[in-house]
Amino acid sequence: MSTRATTARHVRQRKLNTKQGLRIIRESEIEDQQDESQQHIPQVETGVEKGEEIEYHLQAVINASNAAALGAKQTQQNYIPTPEVKQARHVNYDELYPRVFKEPSTNIKFSSTVEDCNPVAYCLREEDVEFLHKLNEGRDVDGRERKGADKLSQCSEDACEEVMNFFEETSSRLQPFANLDNAPILTLEEMEQSIQDDQPLSAEAQKWLRPIYDYWLIRKAGRPLMASIKVRVLDTANEADDADPYVCFRRREVRQTRKTRGRDAQVTEKLKKLRMELEDGRQLLLSINQREKLKGQQGQLDRKKFRERHQLKKVKAEKQIVGEKGDDEELLVDQKPVTKPGKRQSEANRPATIRLRSLGDRAASVANAQDNDLPLLEDYVTEGAAFVSNTIEARKEQHRKWNQHWVDETKLPITPPLEAEDPMSKWAAWPPLLDGLYPTPPPSLPSRSSVEGEDVDMKDAPDIKPQLDTTSGAEYEPEIFAIPGAWPETEDDEPKPDKFPAVRLRVGRGGRRWLETRKRKPKGQLCRGVVSDDDSDDGQTPGFFSVPEGITFELRAAFNNRPTGRPEGTGSEQRQRQWGGDQQAGAAAQGHPQVQQQGAAGSAS
Amino acid sequence: MAPRNDGVDGGEEPERGHATLATLRIGTKAMVEKDGEKRKAEILSIQSRKGRPTFYVHYQEFNKRLDEWVSADRLDLSQEVEWPLPEKPEPKSKQKQAQSKAQQVSKTDSKANKAPKRARSTTVTREPSEAPGDVSAKASRRPSQQGGKENRDPTVTIATEDIGGTPLAGEDDSTIDLVDMQEAAIAAKAAPEHAPYSREEEIEKLRTGGSMTQNQTEISRVRNLERIQMGGYEIEPWYFSPYPAEFTDVDLVYICEMCLGYFGSATQFRRHRHKCQLFHPPGNEIYRDANVSFFEIDGRRQRTWCRNLCLLSKLFLDHKTLYYDVDPFLFYCMTVRSAHGHHLVGYFSKEKESAEGYNVACILTLPQHQRKGYGKLLIQFSYELSKIEGKLGSPEKPLSDLGLLGYRAYWQEVIVDILAEREADGAPTLSIEDLGQSLAMTTNDVLHTLQNLNMLRYNNKNHVVVLTDAVLEQRERLKEKEKIKGKRFLEGSLLRDWKPPVFAASARTWNW
């Protein structure tokens, strides 16, 4: 590579940002195929030791893979040769490893150690087996006849191993450094004395201690009989075996924390704290114990009390003693003591401070909770909210009821019929005091909210009395209007003054006044092809009804109480009602049953 | 670090000359026939078998697992041999460089290192130990070392062991093997000149870090076990492992497949099998699918089993150290099931708390189960654990050659898979870090993998990731193979219930 090319490349290439997303493309998408940098693999750290990196086989494989990465066709599979592995001959695998393993259905959990699984570590060697044969033939180690040997008793291999293992373990336990300091080999008596309680020898093994000991003594030569690895268990300061490759698994030094006075104090504090906490826990348990005992006593007392009362009742029944009413009940059932409200009050009045609950306090509150449940703020809040919404709903309902049969007619002008001569003679004057005097619907429930707020103020309509003779009562009388045909009449033509007023004056917010008429209930049969709105709650939509064109005039005439009834351009209902309001008009209408009928039919639908 | 005296010793020309069988000694390099061709090999040990000398040779630029015993007729003595170099004190400047590059060493230590190292005698006699003068030199050096915190110069201990008068190689036929090998091992360990780390530094590193791998200087260079039998297989060990020294004399060492106990005699082994009640690794099964199970084993709780496992795996792992105990590690063991029980297939160890964020310390598929795709499962499992832990992981270095290839294959497969999926989804951008996050791989490993596959390119003034034809082709081939042989892949969801084990401070200390 020329220097120029090198520098050129260095200038050109930006540093690679490992956080930045890199585009993934195919080889064919690369544009500058000629770039020299693409043509060799950069030297990458392999992680193999330098000395081994140059090894022939590894290099062969690496070079082959590099070549492949650069697009060369792989010619042959390279691999690193390893020493051979053969199937073992003369191995009866099934005998060595019996087919007894059952796979559990769940994952294995296992914590036993190798030693647990194989408590007798010693395994007989060929020499041992030979010795065992001799032993079982009744001979001693040295081949002489054993005294008092029972020819029939045979030492099993297991027993022999157990004994040998016992000797090995005991000697290594009592003389761990025997191979270093040439300690005298333990005598059999010493061995027998040191049999540990937790690892007793089986009875069979004990029988064979002596003959096997003699053999063991011969075999033993200051080192363990079982081949063992060199593990340095003692004396980390001794470095003599540092270079010995056979010594392995050294213990590592513990990183000791330095002892300082400060640390000691810390530790003392910790211990003190721990002790205190334990003491607290103990006290708590004691108190609980006591409490439960007291509870038990109380239960017994209650039981006794009940029994006594029961007895008493029986006696009373026998002796026919009649006590006061409820007396007996009291006898059998404990009356709950009435909680004094004063206490609660005082509790509520307590300043809101954070109290650390002491043990006794908690116990007290626990006790309280059994008598009366603690009222929760939550409950109060929901109760209040429910009350408010109920009230609102109720008032809405009431409002709807007021307006149910009323139609607002205020918008349209109320003009009295033209009366040349004496309009006032026919008209009652508006009372000067409209408030309170005009018929208004009954007020809502005497709720505080309507008193306080700028709510609609409505007043009860006075009862309608048939006061036909009060026409002259200029000031007050015309309050009651009766509009003929404004509501269905009864079958008989006998005029029945309705108890409902036909018109009302409503005082709305801000002193606005509304003039409302009753909705007319249509009587289906007489209506021709007209469908009216039902009496919707909406006061804004006037009840629609039609008055047959033919009778309008007569009707108006009747309302106006003017037989000559002047022709009117537009039949205003207000006017009709206005007129209808007139007592005399009503009377006149009664005088014209037909008209009345028609009017009623018109209003009904 | 190359094996000692691998011929590139600071440009110094080794002494050459013709040799006879009698004059050959340890350290000599001769041409040895290997698989039909001649390769330069170093003689590491000499033994006499049935009256004929045999030589343990290490072939240059071959992995040590191919070291072997050869008979004299495979040595080509018609060519000149290289005599071992006389040991010389290191040039001061070089020594200093090495030291400054390596970890911090106390001043007294560096002074000590400047003192003449054990000079290898130029005579034909093999003398791995010091000349008497050397010993005195060391003795005089001692006081200066006492100021150092760790007085661990192994050469000192060798001097005290006094193995000076080692007999001539090949002279004492019957006794040579065991002693010879131990000495050879010691000698190998005691040659810190070319190591990037001095021995005390290395031990210090082992002491403070949780590392399970070790430096070349630690390695005993001659294999000590001839063959092992494990389960239904006979396996040739690859490297030295500190099994009991007696086993060096034994033709076949028996390893129990369940408890991994070791036995030098067939009778003993049979007796052991008669009693052994273990049917699976002694821990909790944390993963099970149709093929394999994984067991999680705490080195502290299952000390014997884990030690056995380490001894076994040391036979196949060059850089593993057994210097310190197994307490600070967790062992994740993969097994296959049969009516006999769970057969160990491979395992990896993992520090309970890794300061360097390693998610694997040592990883091994047993040789009898190699080349069946189990290594990939082990690697995948280690990353699945890291995913649950929410950490990015990487294997502890150095890797072995096989380890490197295994990891590279896994990395390539998973990275190319993700990239191809992304591309197919039509959202073809991905950052290196996101890639690492989704695979629990460190950014560095992702980067290296991409670079190594020539997938990281520069296009239109921007870096791009290229799905090269080569990797896509390899992916296709892998998929083809999986169709035929069945896909070996773990089901991450089966690990759902696993919680990273938490250890109290007391459990993490390395106390017994």
Side-chain angles (χ1 to χ4, degrees):
Chain A
M1 194 189 296
S2 71
T3 20
R4 216 177 120 242
T6 317
T7 49
R9 215 184 75 208
H10 278 199
V11 168
R12 205 170 67 231
Q13 280 218 350
R14 269 191 291 169
K15 260 184 137 181
L16 175 71
N17 182 358
T18 55
K19 286 194 176 62
Q20 197 182 12
L22 303 181
R23 226 153 55 79
I24 302 165
I25 59 173
R26 292 287 173 110
E27 207 155 21
S28 51
E29 297 171 59
I30 301 174
E31 284 165 24
D32 39 359
Q33 295 282 356
Q34 300 311 309
D35 183 8
E36 234 177 301
S37 67
Q38 320 277 350
Q39 298 309 313
H40 79 283
I41 306 267
Q43 203 64 50
V44 176
E45 185 79 30
T46 58
V48 174
E49 290 238 348
K50 287 281 168 290
E52 284 176 23
E53 220 172 0
I54 55 161
E55 277 171 3
Y56 176 82
H57 296 106
L58 179 59
Q59 280 303 314
V61 176
I62 289 177
N63 289 337
S65 79
N66 282 358
L70 287 174
K73 284 279 162 277
Q74 203 150 359
T75 47
Q76 64 174 79
Q77 195 70 38
N78 277 291
Y79 67 96
I80 293 178
T82 53
E84 64 173 336
V85 173
K86 287 190 295 193
Q87 283 288 334
R89 290 156 297 159
H90 320 303
V91 167
N92 188 348
Y93 191 80
D94 281 351
E95 187 196 310
L96 283 173
Y97 300 89
R99 295 172 161 273
V100 291
F101 181 68
K102 284 264 185 332
E103 178 77 23
S105 57
T106 55
N107 283 5
I108 295 170
K109 304 255 184 233
F110 195 82
S111 60
S112 307
T113 61
V114 173
E115 289 81 1
D116 296 337
C117 295
N118 190 2
V120 179
Y122 190 83
C123 298
L124 294 179
R125 298 179 64 91
E126 284 81 355
E127 307 96 283
D128 302 335
V129 176
E130 222 171 275
F131 158 74
L132 195 63
H133 273 298
K134 270 199 275 181
L135 192 68
N136 285 338
E137 283 165 16
R139 284 181 291 154
D140 249 335
V141 192
D142 42 13
R144 279 176 301 174
E145 202 75 14
R146 223 151 46 83
K147 278 174 236 155
D150 181 0
K151 293 245 174 179
L152 290 177
S153 77
Q154 299 281 299
C155 178
S156 70
E157 289 179 325
D158 289 336
C160 184
E161 275 179 354
E162 193 183 342
V163 175
M164 290 292 274
N165 195 54
F166 164 68
F167 290 148
E168 284 291 295
E169 278 186 356
T170 312
S171 74
S172 73
R173 194 180 71 238
L174 299 180
Q175 300 177 321
F177 313 124
N179 51 344
L180 297 181
D181 55 7
N182 285 323
I185 293 176
L186 291 171
T187 64
L188 183 58
E189 285 67 39
E190 285 174 303
M191 289 279 193
E192 280 174 332
Q193 278 165 17
S194 65
I195 293 177
Q196 283 171 314
D197 292 339
D198 53 335
Q199 294 169 333
L201 279 172
S202 67
E204 206 207 334
Q206 290 205 348
K207 278 202 300 192
W208 298 99
L209 274 179
R210 178 155 289 282
I212 296 176
Y213 177 77
D214 293 338
Y215 172 72
W216 178 75
L217 213 55
I218 294 170
R219 283 278 319 271
K220 186 85 181 169
R223 61 189 176 88
L225 293 181
M226 285 293 284
S228 61
I229 50 171
K230 285 198 203 173
V231 180
R232 191 172 56 178
V233 277
L234 70 154
D235 194 17
T236 37
N238 175 16
E239 283 145 18
D241 55 11
D242 229 16
D244 185 349
Y246 283 97
V247 175
C248 46
F249 305 124
R250 296 162 175 85
R251 59 196 283 192
R252 294 185 206 229
E253 285 84 5
V254 195
R255 277 181 244 164
Q256 271 200 330
T257 44
R258 275 182 68 193
K259 268 193 171 177
T260 60
R261 194 170 293 186
R263 241 192 93 71
D264 282 351
Q266 251 184 358
V267 169
T268 317
E269 277 308 301
K270 267 188 196 163
L271 281 175
K272 270 188 195 163
K273 207 177 147 207
L274 185 67
R275 160 96 189 132
M276 292 283 283
E277 276 165 7
L278 284 174
E279 183 62 28
D280 284 352
R282 197 178 74 92
Q283 284 298 340
L284 199 61
L285 284 175
L286 272 181
S287 309
I288 289 170
N289 184 311
Q290 215 164 4
R291 187 191 70 198
E292 293 305 315
K293 272 186 189 151
L294 287 173
K295 265 191 187 168
Q297 277 175 11
Q298 195 193 8
Q300 276 174 355
L301 284 176
D302 282 348
R303 193 183 155 83
K304 202 174 161 192
K305 200 160 67 181
F306 182 81
R307 282 242 175 93
E308 298 288 330
R309 283 171 173 168
H310 182 68
Q311 201 66 33
L312 177 64
K313 201 175 176 188
K314 257 190 195 163
V315 171
K316 274 176 111 179
E318 259 172 39
K319 306 284 179 194
Q320 307 247 323
I321 305 170
V322 181
E324 274 176 44
K325 190 188 163 204
D327 217 13
D328 289 352
E329 289 309 306
E330 270 174 46
L331 270 179
L332 286 181
V333 183
D334 266 341
Q335 299 298 312
K336 277 193 180 175
V338 182
T339 44
K340 285 166 192 157
K343 194 188 163 203
R344 182 153 293 282
Q345 201 67 28
S346 70
E347 214 158 13
N349 287 345
R350 216 178 276 176
T353 50
I354 298 163
R355 281 187 302 136
L356 288 175
R357 287 191 149 195
S358 66
L359 197 67
D361 205 16
R362 197 176 312 150
S365 71
V366 166
N368 268 347
Q370 287 166 347
D371 288 345
N372 51 329
D373 288 332
L374 282 175
L376 294 173
L377 174 66
E378 217 177 296
D379 292 343
Y380 277 131
V381 169
T382 47
E383 210 175 284
F387 175 76
V388 168
S389 63
N390 278 348
T391 315
I392 290 172
E393 280 308 313
R395 288 197 48 123
K396 263 160 87 180
E397 188 54 38
Q398 220 168 16
H399 204 83
R400 229 174 268 139
K401 262 185 193 155
W402 291 339
N403 293 334
Q404 199 171 11
H405 303 293
W406 298 93
V407 182
D408 177 25
E409 304 285 8
T410 325
K411 278 178 220 156
L412 296 170
I414 304 172
T415 34
L418 295 170
E419 189 58 66
E421 337 60 276
D422 184 12
M424 294 315 285
S425 66
K426 291 285 182 274
W427 284 97
W430 290 105
L433 292 168
L434 287 168
D435 277 344
L437 297 179
Y438 274 81
T440 51
S444 58
L445 287 175
S447 78
R448 278 153 291 154
S449 60
S450 68
V451 169
E452 294 152 9
E454 251 208 321
D455 219 17
V456 187
D457 194 13
M458 292 178 219
K459 293 201 174 113
D460 241 336
D463 274 350
I464 304 164
K465 294 159 235 157
Q467 291 175 319
L468 295 175
D469 53 335
T470 54
T471 24
S472 55
E475 302 283 322
Y476 296 103
E477 294 317 311
E479 286 173 16
I480 315 295
F481 301 91
I483 300 178
W487 55 84
E489 296 279 328
T490 41
E491 286 308 289
D492 52 338
D493 285 344
E494 185 62 34
K496 273 191 191 150
D498 203 283
K499 57 176 177 169
F500 297 112
V503 175
R504 69 180 183 184
L505 192 64
R506 189 157 63 82
V507 182
R509 283 188 202 89
R512 284 178 299 164
R513 284 152 209 272
W514 309 88
L515 187 66
E516 288 172 340
T517 61
R518 290 187 69 88
K519 269 185 204 162
R520 272 128 305 207
K521 287 266 186 196
K523 236 179 197 169
Q525 213 187 358
L526 292 169
C527 174
R528 287 170 306 193
V530 177
V531 179
S532 89
D533 281 337
D534 61 343
D535 47 344
S536 68
D537 299 338
D538 195 354
Q540 299 295 337
T541 45
F544 179 85
F545 61 96
S546 72
V547 176
E549 210 50 46
I551 63 160
T552 352
F553 179 75
E554 278 178 275
L555 190 65
R556 283 180 184 147
F559 285 169
N560 284 338
N561 200 15
R562 290 173 58 130
T564 48
R566 48 195 320 156
E568 290 174 32
T570 47
S572 147
E573 282 176 287
Q574 270 80 17
R575 195 168 303 169
Q576 281 177 23
R577 235 160 279 137
Q578 205 74 33
W579 285 108
D582 196 333
Q583 288 289 338
Q584 284 176 355
Q590 278 153 27
H592 302 270
Q594 205 198 347
V595 173
Q596 179 113 16
Q597 197 78 348
Q598 294 278 356
S603 67
S605 132
Chain B
M1 173 64 210
R4 194 161 48 106
N5 298 339
D6 241 4
V8 280
D9 277 348
E12 199 157 345
E13 268 305 303
E15 200 185 320
R16 291 171 171 278
H18 284 280
T20 64
L21 277 184
T23 55
L24 281 176
R25 54 194 163 89
I26 286 171
T28 311
K29 287 173 188 163
M31 298 305 282
V32 179
E33 188 200 313
K34 167 81 177 161
D35 298 334
E37 55 175 304
K38 293 216 160 49
R39 291 199 74 85
K40 198 197 272 182
E42 182 187 355
I43 297 171
L44 298 178
S45 181
I46 303 171
Q47 254 191 31
S48 187
R49 291 181 179 175
K50 294 168 193 150
R52 300 171 60 81
T54 49
F55 303 88
Y56 191 80
V57 294
H58 166 70
Y59 300 100
Q60 259 183 25
E61 296 184 355
F62 272 19
N63 190 280
K64 280 201 311 188
R65 70 174 75 89
L66 298 181
D67 292 0
E68 59 186 344
W69 289 98
V70 295
S71 57
D73 53 358
R74 279 175 63 183
L75 266 65
D76 183 4
L77 296 178
S78 62
Q79 296 188 41
E80 284 188 329
V81 298
E82 285 176 19
W83 298 111
L85 282 174
E87 298 234 345
K88 283 191 174 175
E90 288 270 310
K92 280 189 179 180
S93 57
K94 194 182 167 190
Q95 186 77 27
K96 272 194 171 163
Q97 269 182 0
Q99 299 254 320
S100 59
K101 271 182 192 165
Q103 282 175 316
Q104 298 295 330
V105 192
S106 71
K107 236 185 173 173
T108 52
D109 280 350
S110 68
K111 260 185 217 153
N113 279 335
K114 274 182 243 161
K117 285 289 164 187
R118 11 182 321 269
R120 187 163 278 212
S121 153
T122 48
T123 63
V124 194
T125 347
R126 179 176 163 276
E127 267 189 279
S129 66
E130 288 75 21
D134 233 22
V135 175
S136 63
K138 294 218 163 81
S140 66
R141 218 171 65 206
R142 269 202 132 161
S144 72
Q145 279 198 320
Q146 273 163 3
K149 50 189 161 126
E150 304 292 350
N151 184 5
R152 278 200 179 260
D153 190 345
T155 57
V156 175
T157 63
I158 284 169
T160 61
E161 265 180 351
D162 191 25
I163 42 174
T166 316
L168 239 155
E171 208 177 63
D172 189 343
D173 290 343
S174 57
T175 59
I176 195 161
D177 38 18
L178 203 156
V179 180
D180 200 336
M181 282 192 209
Q182 285 197 32
E183 280 172 7
I186 291 170
K189 285 149 52 74
E193 289 97 334
H194 312 296
Y197 295 103
S198 74
R199 167 125 188 103
E200 50 272 82
E201 286 167 335
E202 187 190 320
I203 291 176
E204 181 61 30
K205 197 172 154 238
L206 287 172
R207 192 191 312 281
T208 53
S211 169
M212 268 308 235
T213 60
Q214 69 181 0
N215 205 279
Q216 186 81 12
T217 55
E218 175 75 25
I219 291 157
S220 305
R221 305 182 70 200
V222 179
R223 213 161 32 224
N224 55 337
L225 301 191
E226 193 64 21
R227 296 183 78 74
I228 62 166
Q229 186 199 81
M230 182 180 177
Y233 297 93
E234 265 183 34
I235 307 149
E236 242 179 72
W238 301 359
Y239 308 105
F240 173 90
S241 177
Y243 274 109
E246 302 91 288
F247 285 3
T248 321
D249 299 331
V250 175
D251 287 337
L252 189 60
V253 172
Y254 301 85
I255 310 279
C256 173
E257 210 183 0
M258 296 303 165
C259 75
L260 307 181
Y262 35 87
F263 303 90
S265 105
T267 313
Q268 266 187 333
F269 177 58
R270 247 197 323 275
R271 283 296 304 161
H272 165 77
R273 279 305 312 159
H274 180 65
K275 294 183 288 182
C276 185
Q277 289 300 309
L278 208 57
F279 293 98
H280 51 78
N284 292 342
E285 191 181 12
I286 57 171
Y287 175 92
R288 183 194 290 183
D289 65 18
N291 298 316
V292 299
S293 290
F294 272 89
F295 286 82
E296 182 179 58
I297 296 159
D298 184 346
R300 189 182 168 81
R301 295 202 185 182
Q302 297 288 349
R303 192 171 279 127
T304 309
W305 197 87
C306 291
R307 282 175 171 180
N308 289 350
L309 177 63
C310 283
L311 284 169
L312 176 67
S313 65
K314 179 69 191 76
L315 289 172
F316 309 106
L317 293 173
D318 199 2
H319 294 285
K320 185 176 178 58
T321 179
L322 304 181
Y323 192 88
Y324 282 123
D325 213 344
V326 291
D327 286 39
F329 292 90
L330 287 167
F331 295 82
Y332 292 93
C333 303
M334 183 166 71
T335 61
V336 291
R337 297 176 297 272
S338 78
H340 306 283
H342 284 256
H343 306 266
L344 184 69
V345 166
Y347 85 102
F348 64 88
S349 56
K350 177 177 184 172
E351 286 174 82
K352 288 173 181 171
E353 218 171 64
S354 171
E356 271 135 303
Y358 295 131
N359 63 355
V360 162
C362 288
I363 183 165
L364 172 76
T365 309
L366 291 174
Q368 64 266 40
H369 299 293
Q370 282 174 2
R371 297 186 196 284
K372 293 177 194 162
Y374 285 122
K376 192 174 85 178
L377 294 191
L378 284 170
I379 295 173
Q380 195 203 341
F381 195 79
S382 72
Y383 280 108
E384 293 292 341
L385 295 186
S386 291
K387 278 180 199 168
I388 296 177
E389 287 171 346
K391 291 178 183 163
L392 304 183
S394 186
E396 187 176 330
K397 315 295 179 305
L399 293 170
S400 69
D401 46 0
L402 291 168
L404 175 73
L405 298 188
Y407 266 100
R408 280 196 172 170
Y410 172 79
W411 289 337
Q412 173 177 349
E413 188 185 336
V414 292
I415 287 179
V416 171
D417 264 353
I418 281 202
L419 292 175
E421 273 167 28
R422 264 304 165 101
E423 201 207 20
D425 283 352
T429 55
L430 197 58
S431 77
I432 305 281
E433 285 195 1
D434 290 345
L435 201 51
Q437 279 291 346
S438 56
L439 295 170
M441 281 173 64
T442 58
T443 309
N444 222 18
D445 285 344
V446 176
L447 211 53
H448 282 179
T449 307
L450 290 176
Q451 278 180 333
N452 200 45
L453 294 169
N454 199 25
M455 290 170 71
L456 207 57
R457 308 256 191 113
Y458 202 69
N459 187 39
N460 266 347
K461 298 192 172 69
N462 274 311
H463 289 280
V464 289
V465 177
V466 183
L467 279 170
T468 61
D469 301 341
V471 296
L472 289 173
E473 191 199 323
Q474 282 179 31
R475 184 167 182 250
E476 281 310 305
R477 230 183 303 149
L478 194 71
K479 292 250 183 290
E480 283 296 310
K481 222 163 112 185
E482 276 170 0
K483 253 183 227 162
I484 301 163
K485 291 188 172 179
K487 189 176 166 73
R488 271 208 204 277
F489 222 67
L490 300 176
E491 196 55 60
S493 60
L494 291 175
L495 246 179
R496 265 191 318 257
D497 295 338
W498 182 78
K499 296 263 181 325
V502 181
F503 297 97
S506 57
R508 278 196 307 269
T509 56
W510 302 315
N511 197 6
W512 274 353

